[in-house]
Amino acid sequence: QVQLVESGGGLVQTGGSLRLSCTASRSTFWANVMGWYRQSPGKQREAVARIYQGGSTDYADSVKGRFTISRDNAKNTVYLQMNSLKPEDTGVYYCAVTLLGVDYWGQGAQVTVSS
């Protein structure tokens, strides 16, 4: 089992920045994929950003150029730096890790961007 603890959510004005962190209870060195997903009001959960074991990344079109995902295997942590935030970025952000073929999810962190 892997527990994921997220932090860094909150309320920010349009154009502001936040950094989300997600720390795992065990080593993520062998994690195939670590990522961030969000669920906005009235919408399905969507992938925002993912980082793979080799370091490659992919992003949703809506966040390209504004969000950056990174991982620190020494700290068992994945980060999401969010800049130039927009009201449509509002939602609950979930961290997810795929380890040995099993997906683990965090409890979610609320991000609210006011206009």
Side-chain angles (χ1 to χ4, degrees):
Q1 285 289 336
V2 178
Q3 281 74 50
L4 302 175
V5 178
E6 297 141 338
S7 61
L11 173 66
V12 65
Q13 291 185 334
T14 296
S17 298
L18 285 174
R19 188 175 83 153
L20 301 179
S21 300
C22 172
T23 299
S25 60
R26 56 178 286 188
S27 174
T28 57
F29 184 83
W30 299 108
N32 303 94
V33 183
M34 303 178 74
W36 290 94
Y37 297 73
R38 74 182 173 200
Q39 186 153 19
S40 301
K43 296 183 179 180
Q44 290 187 330
R45 189 176 299 188
E46 61 174 342
V48 174
R50 291 174 290 197
I51 185 165
Y52 299 86
Q53 191 175 20
S56 60
T57 59
D58 59 43
Y59 297 90
D61 288 342
S62 60
V63 308
K64 283 180 181 176
R66 301 187 297 121
F67 290 13
T68 303
I69 189 171
S70 60
R71 65 193 281 180
D72 185 338
N73 289 330
K75 295 182 178 180
N76 302 333
T77 299
V78 61
Y79 304 96
L80 185 67
Q81 177 66 44
M82 305 184 291
N83 298 328
S84 302
L85 282 160
K86 304 175 181 180
E88 50 264 44
D89 294 319
T90 294
V92 179
Y93 284 69
Y94 296 91
C95 168
V97 173
T98 301
L99 186 62
L100 300 178
V102 179
D103 296 333
Y104 299 93
W105 291 86
Q107 78 286 358
Q110 177 68 46
V111 171
T112 303
V113 184
S114 64
S115 57

